[in-house]
Amino acid sequence: MYNEREIYVGKVYKKGNRKDVTKMKTPHTYVIIFGVVILAWLLTFLIPAGKFSTQEIEYTDANGEISTRTVLVQDSFRYAYPLEKAFVFEQLTALEEDTAKTTALSVDPEALETLLANGADALDQSQLDDIGLTDDVLYDLYGDQIYDTSEKLHKTAKVWGTDDFGGFGFLNFVFEGLVSGDKYGSAVGIAALILVVGGAFGIIMQTGAIDAGIFAFISKTRGLERFALPLLFFAFSFGGATFGMAEEVIPFSMVMVPFVIALGYDSIVAVTVTYVASQIGNATSWMSPFSVAVAQGIAGIPVLSGATFRIIMWVVITALSAAYLMVYAEKIRKQPEKSLTYQSDAYFRDHLEQTSNEQKPFLLGHKLILVEMLAVLIWIVWGVTQKGYYIPEIASQFFVMGLGAGLIAVIFKLENMGLNDVASSFQSGAADLAGTAIVVGMAKGILLVLGGSDANMPSALNTILHSIGGLLNHVPAVIGAWFMYIFQSLFNLVVTSNSGQAALTMPIMAPLADLLGVSRQIAVLAYQLGSGFMDAFTPVSASLIGVLGVARIDWAKWAKFQIKMQGFLFVLGTIFIVIAVAIGLQ
């Protein structure tokens, strides 16, 4: 007998109040990301900043045309050091007299003379940049003698601050993350896309067309529900393999989540059959212009080579992954309460139950809206694959979809909607995804705290990249290839852009493959498997966070499910890496 508390197996009773310690509360996604931000900030105190020189290279893209991309220069890594002013001043004084060399470097002799007139102590890299003597130029001319190598510098953000007041502070990571990039990508472009798509689907959901269509489909396909999931899985995987489907999955998920839940599954199944499938396709692609084509171009091997091996890999891994999903899906269908998202899925179940109880007929207006949606989706796929449409065009297309659905609803008096209802539905839909848009910016902020992903700017991330690349030297070929795969998987935790990761890592991994005795084709394979699979897990992925927001799934809950699937995918990836080394894939 205890006066203060009684302890039982799995439970604590304290002063009459019961607390179940077996049920830990899942941290909010914002809490998890903030914890990662703190960790990233602390790492910058431990890891000195480093940088690479960069250059423009030309390569043949997937369309057979010559494209250019900025990549880092192999063996150009150096830590951030203070400038050795006396040495630089001496060399520039000699350079001032060499008219031919200053002309070749496009350096204004008068500007150089003015700068040197202030003496060695006044030399500053920013001033040298202004006259064309950048750090890269000086390093090419004089090597690391331009640095005081006795002190490695760190690039650590302040606690608080902005670019205009004291410099970037990590507590400003939300705003800086949200406004980073441009309309063509993360974070501001994807955040804007999410808001527009949310508004468009807010209108569509208000019309009742999705609900009516789902129940009409289910009532006519009783007993065939299980065939829908593997077919959808292959369809989305094919989209990822052919045109790098990622952000495009977000609007599709708004339809698929209630549809899959209506079939008796959960939102995790819905996200897996859409977004995860697309990233499996991307990881095993033989033709994606955003991943394998870019990586092969940078690695200096024929673009879209090795297609036969990759097509076989795509079929096998997609089929096995679909089977993995079906095992989980059937478990949830038989015992829905076992789902990690059972409580959050109540939002969709209650809505579907309410709609089902009302027994709304499948009206002509509903059918026209679904046909209009299908037409716009075909327009989007055509635009992406044939015209190169991207985020701005896709956002505009979905706005057209929402507006068209709203006008049809007004004309056919669906849900007694008027023009004001269309506007308020757009507002409500955008508001529902505002939290997701913020998470996209927060995730991007992690990369900013690490110093950014620019190879030409000193950062802790560049040092990590260089260090891991160096560790892979002089190991057996199959082990080296496997560790390249592990490295690319881990690197994708912070850099989720497929083309960006290729530009940062392939200039190191391709020559490293030569040293390890494996083909550069295998280096590309390790890159695409690592970056593709991990995109379905990392909280830094703006596309994943967008889909999870649509499905109302906290990332922590998603991670509990996905970590097991990542293990499954990692084993499959390892098997194909070993096979590629064994057959000498070229």
Side-chain angles (χ1 to χ4, degrees):
M1 190 84 178
Y2 294 87
N3 293 328
E4 293 295 324
R5 62 182 181 180
E6 294 180 30
I7 303 178
Y8 296 90
V9 176
K11 294 186 179 180
V12 176
Y13 297 88
K14 185 176 181 180
K15 291 186 178 180
N17 295 323
R18 186 176 69 180
K19 180 180 180 181
D20 188 350
V21 298
T22 63
K23 296 181 179 179
M24 295 187 65
K25 188 174 182 180
T26 303
H28 193 284
T29 302
Y30 289 4
V31 175
I32 294 172
I33 292 179
F34 187 70
V36 175
V37 166
I38 296 292
L39 177 60
W41 184 62
L42 293 176
L43 281 176
T44 62
F45 285 94
L46 303 175
I47 302 173
K51 63 165 289 184
F52 297 87
S53 296
T54 58
Q55 63 182 356
E56 291 285 331
I57 66 165
E58 292 184 348
Y59 68 95
T60 304
D61 63 19
N63 297 319
E65 300 176 351
I66 299 299
S67 297
T68 61
R69 178 165 290 278
T70 300
V71 301
L72 54 85
V73 177
Q74 177 69 10
D75 297 326
S76 67
F77 176 83
R78 63 269 192 192
Y79 290 104
Y81 294 114
L83 199 65
E84 183 58 71
K85 296 182 179 182
F87 175 82
V88 174
F89 183 83
E90 179 183 345
Q91 299 305 313
L92 295 186
T93 300
L95 178 65
E96 184 183 10
E97 305 299 325
D98 191 340
T99 306
K101 202 164 191 178
T102 55
T103 301
L105 294 172
S106 301
V107 174
D108 183 354
E110 293 183 1
L112 178 58
E113 180 182 0
T114 301
L115 182 62
L116 294 177
N118 297 321
D121 291 339
L123 281 182
D124 179 80
Q125 186 59 60
S126 62
Q127 294 175 332
L128 293 169
D129 291 342
D130 292 339
I131 64 172
L133 292 171
T134 64
D135 179 81
D136 285 355
V137 171
L138 293 174
Y139 184 75
D140 286 341
L141 290 173
Y142 311 116
D144 59 10
Q145 296 180 84
I146 66 173
Y147 303 121
D148 174 6
T149 57
S150 63
E151 178 187 2
K152 294 178 181 177
L153 302 179
H154 292 253
K155 186 177 181 181
T156 301
K158 297 177 181 294
V159 175
W160 184 89
T162 67
D163 291 338
D164 298 322
F165 293 92
F168 171 63
F170 82 89
L171 289 181
N172 200 31
F173 79 100
V174 179
F175 175 82
E176 293 292 347
L178 279 170
V179 300
S180 63
D182 53 33
K183 66 180 181 178
Y184 299 103
S186 181
V188 64
I190 293 179
L193 172 67
I194 288 172
L195 293 177
V196 173
V197 169
F201 271 91
I203 297 172
I204 293 170
M205 296 304 294
Q206 183 63 33
T207 67
I210 297 292
D211 299 327
I214 287 174
F215 287 111
F217 175 84
I218 292 175
S219 64
K220 294 180 180 180
T221 57
R222 294 289 182 187
L224 301 177
E225 297 93 341
R226 298 178 190 178
F227 293 102
L229 292 185
L231 290 176
L232 288 169
F233 197 97
F234 264 89
F236 279 96
S237 179
F238 185 76
T242 52
F243 63 92
M245 196 177 200
E247 295 88 353
E248 298 85 352
V249 177
I250 297 173
F252 281 98
S253 299
M254 303 192 82
V255 178
M256 293 304 303
V257 171
F259 173 71
V260 169
I261 290 176
L263 293 179
Y265 304 110
D266 65 0
S267 55
I268 288 178
V269 172
V271 173
T272 304
V273 82
T274 53
Y275 186 75
V276 176
S278 73
Q279 296 315 294
I280 287 173
N282 196 22
T284 56
S285 173
W286 61 95
M287 62 173 291
S288 172
F290 304 111
S291 57
V292 63
V294 172
Q296 288 179 325
I298 293 173
I301 59 178
V303 173
L304 306 188
S305 57
T308 301
F309 179 86
R310 286 181 170 86
I311 290 174
I312 294 172
M313 180 174 67
W314 173 74
V315 172
V316 172
I317 292 182
T318 300
L320 292 175
S321 300
Y324 181 98
L325 171 64
M326 288 307 300
V327 171
Y328 170 81
E330 283 303 299
K331 181 180 72 173
I332 296 302
R333 189 179 66 83
K334 294 176 181 178
Q335 295 180 295
E337 66 279 359
K338 294 287 187 181
S339 171
L340 293 168
T341 59
Y342 184 73
Q343 293 182 337
S344 58
D345 286 350
Y347 170 85
F348 299 103
R349 288 195 303 271
D350 293 344
H351 180 78
L352 290 167
E353 184 178 354
Q354 179 182 357
T355 306
S356 178
N357 291 338
E358 292 174 0
Q359 295 183 339
K360 291 183 179 180
F362 192 28
L363 303 175
L364 175 61
H366 295 144
K367 296 175 183 178
L368 289 177
I369 289 175
L370 294 180
V371 170
E372 185 247 2
M373 287 178 61
L374 178 62
V376 173
L377 293 176
I378 293 173
W379 179 30
I380 291 170
V381 172
W382 173 82
V384 170
T385 57
Q386 302 299 316
K387 294 294 183 179
Y389 287 0
Y390 198 40
I391 290 174
E393 293 77 21
I394 293 171
S396 178
Q397 290 169 309
F398 274 101
F399 181 80
V400 170
M401 177 192 289
L403 180 61
L407 293 177
I408 292 173
V410 171
I411 294 171
F412 286 86
K413 301 186 183 303
L414 299 178
E415 304 295 324
N416 294 318
M417 288 181 68
L419 292 178
N420 286 343
D421 297 309
V422 173
S424 61
S425 298
F426 183 90
Q427 180 182 16
S428 299
D432 285 343
L433 292 187
T436 300
I438 291 175
V439 172
V440 169
M442 294 176 75
K444 181 68 174 182
I446 297 172
L447 191 58
L448 298 180
V449 171
L450 282 171
S453 59
D454 188 344
N456 197 231
M457 296 297 292
S459 71
L461 189 62
N462 286 332
T463 301
I464 294 171
L465 173 63
H466 169 72
S467 300
I468 295 180
L471 290 174
L472 297 182
N473 275 313
H474 313 300
V475 297
V478 67
I479 300 299
W482 186 57
F483 272 100
M484 290 171 74
Y485 170 39
I486 294 174
F487 164 69
Q488 295 286 10
S489 299
L490 295 175
F491 196 77
N492 190 253
L493 287 172
V494 289
V495 177
T496 59
S497 166
N498 286 324
S499 58
Q501 183 170 345
L504 284 170
T505 63
M506 290 314 301
I508 289 178
M509 293 297 125
L512 181 62
D514 299 338
L515 295 175
L516 294 174
V518 299
S519 70
R520 293 191 173 195
Q521 191 73 263
I522 293 174
V524 173
L525 184 67
Y527 147 76
Q528 65 177 116
L529 287 172
S531 65
F533 290 155
M534 195 59 71
D535 263 345
F537 174 80
T538 174
V540 180
S541 171
S543 304
L544 172 61
I545 295 300
V547 174
L548 293 181
V550 166
R552 296 175 176 261
I553 302 175
D554 287 335
W555 180 83
K557 291 182 179 179
W558 171 252
K560 288 181 181 179
F561 162 79
Q562 183 58 210
I563 193 69
K564 296 178 182 178
M565 190 171 191
Q566 283 295 316
F568 175 75
L569 294 173
F570 180 77
V571 170
L572 294 180
T574 297
I575 291 172
F576 275 93
I577 289 288
V578 172
I579 292 173
V581 174
I583 66 174
L585 178 65
Q586 297 291 332

